[in-house]
Amino acid sequence: MHACRIWDYSPPSSKTPNGEWVYIQDLSRGFVYLWRVPVLPGPADFHLYSEVRYVTKDNVKSEEALNTTNPLPHLVKEVGRSCLSQEQAGCSAIILVRRITCVSPQIGEKAQQKRITKEEVCIVGYYLTELCFPLQVAGGCLGSDPALDPQCSGAVAVQKRINCHPQPGASREACEARGCTWCATDVPNAPWCFFPKDSPYGYSLAGSTEKTATGWRVTLSKHQALSLFGDDISPVTLEVEFQTRDRLRFRLYDPNRQRFEVPLKIDSPGVTADETSYDVELTDDSSHFRIRRKSTSTVLWDSPLSDLIFSNQYLQITTTVPSTSVYGFGEHEHPSFKHSMDFVTYGMFSRDQAPEPFANLYGVHPFYLCVEADSNAHGVLLLNSNAQDVSLSPNPSLTFRTIGGILDFYVFLGPTPENVIQQYTEAIGRPHMPAYWSLGFHLSRWGYGSIDVLKRTVDRMHYYDIPYDVQHFDIDYMERRLDFTYDKVNYAGLPQYLQQLKKEGMHNVVILDPFITKDEEPGTYRPYDLGEEMGVWVNNSDGITPAVGKALPPGDSVFPDYTNPRTVEWWTQMCLEFKDVLDYDGIWIDMNEPSNFLEGQYPGCAVNNINNPPYIPSVSNHSLALKTLCPDSKTYLGEHYNTHSLFGWSQTAPTFNVVQQATGKRAFVLTRSTFVGSGKYGGHWLGDNFSRWKDMHQSIIGILEFNLFGIPFVGADICGFNENTDYELCLRWMQLGSFYPFARNHNSEGNSAQDPAVFGRKFAKIARATLRIRYSLLPYLYTLFFESHVHGNTVVRSLMHEFTSDQQTHGIDTAFLWGPAFMIAPVLQEATRSVDVYFPEAQWFDYYTGHKLPSTWNKNYATVPAPLSKIPLFIRGGYILPEQAPATTTTKSRLNPFGLIIALDEQGKASGSLFWDDGDSIDTIEKESYFLAKYTYSKGHLKTEILKNGYRGADSLEFKRITILGLKRRPYVVALNGRAIRGYASSYELSGKLTLWISTPLTQELNLVIY
């Protein structure tokens, strides 16, 4: 039996120097992949990164088989038969070729349930043609049956295989020379070279367990002299720390030589926790290291010591995971929030890389969350900053590979997903508390070109009364793209214009890049002159001469080393001085991976094992120097080989501190490159996305993931950064983006303007209406950020996060929640006027009408209307949402009346909170200068508990409206604080919605009784 793969191949419009970027869509799953191939995918280029279903010679003739294996049978049937009739050399593949890059709007099981039609796949018509060729690869035909290979006798089961040749170029000879097993298989991406059951690698226990103040440690010795990549280390110490009841640390390190460790301080009590929710064990035969949840005996981590490799430049460890519901790892453009476990590998190494499937992007987050079979959840962090990758396998298991440092793991026991993130952020640093104004709408673009164009943009936004708080300034405001300057010709009068915007209640953010030109006339460019004097640059391998590369400014550039305390002094001084030039409110730090337009600095990277390690993880172009500096460059903390992915992280905290020092207010810092703990000091946007429908969906996945990473202040460029948008795409994206935690419309130089006022009155009206919803709910969003800052909560979360026991929610990433209570279900497909929404078990209400949704929708998909003017929004029963009358800026809206939306659950109960302070002072929470109230509704009675009343600015604010949803009958009497509310001040609808118009000070208790 020979397998035929079913693909959709979309030729791009341009080529790159190293080949053509192409979209290839697996029609049987609805996923899209981006491959680099010479022209068309040839036999040697196939290296699939996700699960695939097959149409084979045997089942292609069966209509029933086609209907069950592929959601697009009518597009495949005849092509498949045609292709198979041209079978060559015993192997063939179906390549479906089209000339446009539309994608399937539905994914997986949902697609099969709906039986997608040709028109639903892409509104624009297209033709499919077939192209067949043999798939011959090393070791035999891709379609060959592994059972026919005599070498497979007694081999490890396919789903349990661990790759013994993770770098390209595997062959039977190379594999067997490593003492590993070679066995072909039809399972996509499964390794053909893998460790045998009796692996010659790995470690075993050497000596007895030694107790420590925080846990225990043991010594491990290497089995044999055989080495995968050379320079193996033995002995190795395994040390376990019982840090808290729900947090465990274990690390593997060289006891005889200090190796690089990430300088992120995670506080440890210093003694063993009195009580733990986990057990840690070495199995009786000392062959496995296991972590088990005490309450359920579920094994959360199980590492065979035979799979452990610890060499100087290659460290590997494998663990099983208790389910396939795995989330996290970043930063990437993942095809789905819930990961495929079908032999998928993701590289992690910060890179100036526009989002594309499976590429390593701007930041590094080796953290995952796993939902166990019984709906408990746990999380795991590998605290390592070296280039690394992780492979997800169907066993299910994870294999971590890194090329330096140590294996330093933290395990968080939850047991809810929210508990996991709370415990994670307790360790790495709680997210910062954003300024209230930063939760308003932001507008930006690279390429206004002049202050006149900028003014016209601002004026038309104001003309249409579109809520709008923040204007960003990209590099075109600078003089010749030089940091700490502004263009006094094209942006003449910019300092005065910033003052004008401030008087109108607006704020501004300026961009600064991390590279500094070295080629201005001596004495004319202070940032370079002072930096050179202070010695703040990343150096070449000699540790003395600055590394020189090429970036945006004219001439060549040097790169500040933010791990150096002297660099922090220099950066602080320059930012403070620049505040006197442009009165900024926040700083946007871009290209801090760091980006360099060369492959390494001048004159190129030396040939050595630092620049060319024996193993390069699965990163773009298999290069550690592409678009950045050579790995053997020197920073204050050591070689760039170790610190590269810490560059943006090390820049964020100093920027946060200087913005607070310069403004005297709460800092706004937006950073492109992030690492573990970056959320303590900055927000993040998802980078240089594209004006494409698929990128809207990808943005939801990215925002959900960064909330797991402890960076809840996150958003994507609304309407897309690269390429030109269009009316409908931008309108739908404005609707979605209105509910990003960080909501900014931004695009690239040379593209059409896409601010929400440029499309005319009708577009502006819809955008204004949606943003007014955002602004009305900002008190709720701000309260969520308070809970994030204090308790480590997520702000945006998936349906899985709240309804973990409902398996249907585990794969949903087309809708999301603000906190636990507010669902956003955007339109993500062109020319669509309805959305299929899944409603977990709860009482749900339509946000617009307040009507309760039919109970038959619970635990089902329902099709809800979504005309062009509307994004579907829903409120979950059991919660109270604070609201405030919106305005065009938060400066104005903060003075407006408040309200409460009380959405009752089936038991007639609801609860919620309101946090309020002055919105931008530093440390109001620590200084207790805030107002915090908890509202509880039960048995027809709303009670208020004022937990803190420390902000006198709240005294002048009032509640003007209370809306109750889900009442079962019309009230006879409603009393507020002991006085009946007159009939003209209330309105009841048969749907169970009661609206009350009141006038009560915000800081006074609300005691409402319904009779």
Side-chain angles (χ1 to χ4, degrees):
M1 182 173 70
H2 301 290
C4 255
R5 289 182 170 180
I6 306 174
W7 297 113
D8 186 0
Y9 168 68
S10 304
S13 57
S14 61
K15 293 184 178 181
T16 63
N18 295 322
E20 194 174 71
W21 289 105
V22 298
Y23 284 104
I24 298 186
Q25 180 182 6
D26 170 12
L27 294 180
S28 64
R29 295 296 295 174
F31 294 155
V32 179
Y33 315 101
L34 196 63
W35 291 8
R36 186 196 295 278
V37 296
V39 176
L40 281 174
D45 297 296
F46 272 81
H47 188 261
L48 180 60
Y49 288 93
S50 188
E51 67 175 297
V52 177
R53 297 184 183 182
Y54 293 103
V55 174
T56 68
K57 279 192 354 184
D58 295 335
N59 71 16
V60 75
K61 300 173 185 177
S62 163
E63 188 75 29
E64 181 180 359
L66 284 168
N67 286 338
T68 56
T69 60
N70 198 295
L72 300 174
H74 59 290
L75 298 183
V76 175
K77 181 179 174 185
E78 295 306 320
V79 175
R81 289 173 177 163
S82 172
C83 179
L84 287 167
S85 68
Q86 301 175 38
E87 182 176 355
Q88 302 176 34
C91 270
S92 63
I94 305 173
I95 306 296
L96 307 180
V97 182
R98 70 184 182 204
R99 294 299 171 184
I100 56 175
T101 56
C102 59
V103 301
S104 170
Q106 305 289 338
I107 301 296
E109 294 179 3
K110 190 73 171 63
Q112 294 184 46
Q113 291 169 11
K114 190 170 180 181
R115 292 187 181 276
I116 302 173
T117 67
K118 184 173 182 179
E119 290 71 30
E120 287 173 317
V121 175
C122 183
I123 299 304
V124 183
Y126 60 86
Y127 289 97
L128 296 170
T129 60
E130 66 268 21
L131 173 67
C132 301
F133 54 82
L135 291 181
Q136 296 285 359
V137 293
C141 168
L142 185 64
S144 61
D145 190 331
L148 301 179
D149 191 328
Q151 296 299 319
C152 289
S153 177
V156 174
V158 173
Q159 70 270 20
K160 294 185 176 183
R161 294 183 180 183
I162 305 299
N163 200 340
C164 184
H165 202 293
Q167 74 273 42
S171 67
R172 183 186 296 273
E173 293 73 23
C175 179
E176 293 176 348
R178 295 183 172 198
C180 291
T181 303
W182 177 267
C183 179
T185 176
D186 271 342
V187 177
N189 292 339
W192 291 14
C193 179
F194 50 92
F195 294 97
K197 292 179 181 178
D198 54 345
S199 172
Y201 297 93
Y203 288 74
S204 56
L205 192 63
S208 58
T209 302
E210 175 189 352
K211 281 195 172 184
T212 66
T214 56
W216 52 261
R217 71 169 68 97
V218 295
T219 299
L220 306 176
S221 294
K222 192 171 181 299
H223 280 161
Q224 299 183 20
L226 195 62
S227 177
L228 204 62
F229 292 105
D231 206 5
D232 287 359
I233 294 169
S234 185
V236 167
T237 296
L238 166 61
E239 186 166 5
V240 180
E241 298 178 16
F242 303 88
Q243 292 196 338
T244 71
R245 182 184 184 279
D246 298 308
R247 185 173 88 209
L248 162 76
R249 180 191 190 189
F250 69 93
R251 58 194 190 114
L252 291 135
Y253 61 91
D254 182 350
N256 298 315
R257 185 171 71 90
Q258 180 67 40
R259 295 172 61 83
F260 183 81
E261 298 186 34
V262 175
L264 174 67
K265 181 173 174 54
I266 296 179
D267 292 331
S268 171
V271 294
T272 300
D274 293 333
E275 181 185 355
T276 65
S277 57
Y278 48 84
D279 282 323
V280 183
E281 63 184 27
L282 284 170
T283 55
D284 291 341
D285 60 359
S286 300
S287 64
H288 284 247
F289 172 71
R290 287 191 183 129
I291 302 169
R292 194 185 303 271
R293 186 184 297 278
K294 278 184 179 178
S295 62
T296 61
S297 296
T298 301
V299 176
L300 309 182
W301 182 282
D302 187 355
S303 284
L305 296 183
S306 60
D307 290 340
L308 173 65
I309 297 176
F310 200 114
S311 57
N312 188 40
Q313 290 185 274
Y314 185 82
L315 292 75
Q316 174 182 303
I317 191 168
T318 294
T319 179
T320 59
V321 287
S323 87
T324 59
S325 290
V326 175
Y327 309 84
F329 296 121
E331 179 177 10
H332 313 99
E333 185 182 84
H334 292 132
S336 57
F337 181 48
K338 178 178 178 286
H339 289 306
S340 165
M341 300 295 289
D342 289 339
F343 297 108
V344 179
T345 297
Y346 291 108
M348 287 172 276
F349 184 68
S350 62
R351 174 68 56 83
D352 174 4
Q353 168 72 64
E356 61 182 46
F358 303 99
N360 53 299
L361 304 183
Y362 313 101
V364 169
H365 295 275
F367 172 81
Y368 72 89
L369 181 146
C370 178
V371 178
E372 300 146 37
D374 57 9
S375 303
N376 286 319
H378 68 277
V380 177
L381 166 69
L382 169 58
L383 188 58
N384 182 290
S385 60
N386 289 86
Q388 59 191 279
D389 58 37
V390 61
S391 293
L392 295 79
S393 302
N395 191 28
S397 65
L398 303 171
T399 298
F400 297 86
R401 307 179 192 89
T402 181
I403 61 172
I406 67 170
L407 295 174
D408 192 359
F409 287 95
Y410 290 81
V411 184
F412 307 92
L413 271 287
T416 70
E418 192 71 352
N419 293 152
V420 171
I421 305 308
Q422 290 166 343
Q423 294 155 11
Y424 181 50
T425 56
E426 179 185 34
I428 66 171
R430 298 290 198 209
H432 71 287
M433 184 67 191
Y436 197 89
W437 59 262
S438 70
L439 301 184
F441 178 64
H442 299 237
L443 186 60
S444 178
R445 78 159 299 165
W446 172 22
Y448 288 115
S450 73
I451 195 169
D452 294 331
V453 173
L454 172 64
K455 287 180 177 179
R456 288 198 295 272
T457 304
V458 174
D459 289 347
R460 65 178 174 248
M461 290 287 291
H462 290 163
Y463 175 78
Y464 287 118
D465 285 330
I466 298 173
Y468 167 37
D469 263 86
V470 190
Q471 179 61 52
H472 287 235
F473 293 85
D474 208 329
I475 57 174
D476 52 302
Y477 85 86
M478 300 177 182
E479 178 190 342
R480 296 179 293 119
R481 301 180 177 180
L482 300 173
D483 273 358
F484 305 109
T485 69
Y486 79 94
D487 185 338
K488 295 179 178 60
V489 176
N490 292 311
Y491 282 84
L494 180 57
Q496 295 75 24
Y497 187 58
L498 295 185
Q499 294 306 315
Q500 178 185 329
L501 293 178
K502 286 176 182 287
K503 290 177 182 177
E504 296 171 0
M506 295 184 64
H507 295 76
N508 74 84
V509 173
V510 297
I511 196 171
L512 291 173
D513 286 322
F515 27 70
I516 300 293
T517 184
K518 59 175 282 293
D519 290 334
E520 295 295 289
E521 286 293 322
T524 65
Y525 187 47
R526 177 166 165 75
Y528 175 74
D529 294 338
L530 181 62
E532 182 72 3
E533 177 186 325
M534 295 178 69
V536 304
W537 317 125
V538 176
N539 289 320
N540 289 314
S541 59
D542 60 10
I544 300 171
T545 58
V548 177
K550 179 66 180 173
L552 289 168
D556 295 325
S557 291
V558 288
F559 300 80
D561 171 17
Y562 293 97
T563 68
N564 187 339
R566 292 283 284 167
T567 307
V568 173
E569 293 177 26
W570 165 82
W571 182 249
T572 301
Q573 185 167 342
M574 294 310 307
C575 290
L576 290 175
E577 292 178 7
F578 194 47
K579 174 70 171 175
D580 294 330
V581 178
L582 294 180
D583 190 12
Y584 59 80
D585 298 298
I587 293 178
W588 163 19
I589 46 178
D590 193 9
M591 306 191 76
N592 50 352
E593 291 75 33
S595 176
N596 168 33
F597 295 171
L598 309 173
E599 185 159 3
Q601 62 263 37
Y602 296 113
C605 300
V607 178
N608 57 47
N609 64 349
I610 299 298
N611 294 328
N612 307 101
Y615 176 72
I616 295 178
S618 184
V619 299
S620 301
N621 298 86
H622 289 280
S623 169
L624 300 184
L626 185 70
K627 300 181 74 173
T628 191
L629 302 176
C630 299
D632 65 357
S633 303
K634 292 293 196 300
T635 68
Y636 181 81
L637 290 181
E639 288 171 323
H640 197 61
Y641 182 88
N642 297 313
T643 65
H644 165 84
S645 292
L646 298 176
F647 190 99
W649 172 82
S650 65
Q651 184 190 16
T652 305
T655 307
F656 180 91
N657 292 330
V658 73
V659 170
Q660 291 202 153
Q661 185 178 346
T663 64
K665 299 291 184 180
R666 212 172 292 169
F668 174 94
V669 176
L670 184 67
T671 178
R672 191 168 77 173
S673 184
T674 61
F675 187 74
V676 177
S678 286
K680 184 176 181 179
Y681 300 105
H684 175 64
W685 86 106
L686 298 176
D688 297 346
N689 61 358
F690 292 82
S691 296
R692 301 172 185 170
W693 287 91
K694 76 171 187 67
D695 286 58
M696 287 179 62
H697 178 210
Q698 296 293 336
S699 73
I700 297 174
I701 297 168
I703 287 164
L704 292 173
E705 290 178 336
F706 271 86
N707 271 265
L708 299 184
F709 300 153
I711 308 178
F713 191 55
V714 59
D717 286 345
I718 296 171
C719 300
F721 177 78
N722 286 304
E723 303 177 346
N724 286 320
T725 190
D726 60 56
Y727 185 100
E728 184 182 356
L729 172 63
C730 194
L731 183 57
R732 289 303 197 187
W733 211 328
M734 277 298 304
Q735 292 172 335
L736 166 60
S738 293
F739 299 98
Y740 292 157
F742 167 58
R744 182 184 70 165
N745 180 313
H746 176 57
N747 71 327
S748 181
E749 186 179 47
N751 295 336
S752 302
Q754 62 184 37
D755 58 271
V758 77
F759 295 95
R761 184 175 301 277
K762 187 175 181 180
F763 187 110
K765 180 181 178 181
I766 298 170
R768 178 174 64 246
T770 311
L771 282 169
R772 282 174 65 85
I773 296 173
R774 176 191 179 87
Y775 273 59
S776 70
L777 290 173
L778 283 184
Y780 174 60
L781 183 62
Y782 194 52
T783 301
L784 291 175
F785 271 105
F786 161 75
E787 293 170 349
S788 174
H789 177 65
V790 174
H791 304 296
N793 295 16
T794 57
V795 172
V796 162
R797 54 193 75 156
S798 68
L799 294 180
M800 173 280 296
H801 208 90
E802 284 293 311
F803 301 92
T804 315
S805 61
D806 184 347
Q807 289 289 326
Q808 283 282 356
T809 66
H810 287 207
I812 294 175
D813 51 29
T814 52
F816 59 97
L817 298 164
W818 272 12
F822 186 64
M823 189 202 297
I824 298 98
V827 173
L828 300 174
Q829 300 155 28
E830 189 175 7
T832 300
R833 300 297 181 264
S834 65
V835 178
D836 289 345
V837 183
Y838 182 79
F839 292 96
E841 188 68 53
Q843 187 153 283
W844 294 94
F845 299 89
D846 183 287
Y847 170 81
Y848 297 93
T849 65
H851 294 174
K852 186 169 77 74
L853 303 185
S855 59
T856 55
W857 289 11
N858 282 357
K859 302 196 76 171
N860 281 300
Y861 278 93
T863 300
V864 299
L868 200 57
S869 60
K870 178 180 174 182
I871 177 173
L873 304 170
F874 307 95
I875 301 174
R876 179 183 176 188
Y879 293 90
I880 298 176
L881 280 61
E883 60 175 352
Q884 188 176 32
T888 52
T889 66
T890 56
T891 304
K892 297 174 183 176
S893 70
R894 283 179 54 83
L895 305 175
N896 287 347
F898 280 78
L900 291 178
I901 303 174
I902 303 172
L904 304 182
D905 64 14
E906 290 285 0
Q907 289 72 45
K909 297 180 179 181
S911 63
S913 299
L914 170 63
F915 169 85
W916 200 252
D917 62 2
D918 69 7
D920 63 2
S921 290
I922 300 168
D923 294 337
T924 59
I925 298 167
E926 291 74 9
K927 297 172 182 175
E928 300 187 342
S929 301
Y930 64 91
F931 172 80
L932 179 63
K934 181 177 181 181
Y935 304 96
T936 305
Y937 185 98
S938 178
K939 298 179 180 178
H941 190 180
L942 173 67
K943 296 180 180 179
T944 305
E945 181 183 4
I946 296 178
L947 302 173
K948 181 64 63 178
N949 196 1
Y951 173 51
R952 297 281 58 85
D955 293 340
S956 60
L957 299 172
E958 288 187 312
F959 278 113
K960 287 291 190 180
R961 184 175 67 183
I962 295 177
T963 305
I964 304 176
L965 309 178
L967 290 175
K968 298 186 186 301
R969 61 171 177 82
R970 180 188 296 272
Y972 296 112
V973 179
V974 180
L976 175 63
N977 296 337
R979 300 181 63 179
I981 294 177
R982 295 177 182 267
Y984 63 79
S986 69
S987 171
Y988 179 77
E989 300 176 19
L990 293 178
S991 64
K993 177 181 178 180
L994 174 67
T995 305
L996 305 172
W997 289 274
I998 64 173
S999 181
T1000 304
L1002 184 72
T1003 54
Q1004 180 180 322
E1005 290 187 3
L1006 288 173
N1007 189 351
L1008 184 77
V1009 182
I1010 297 178
Y1011 299 97

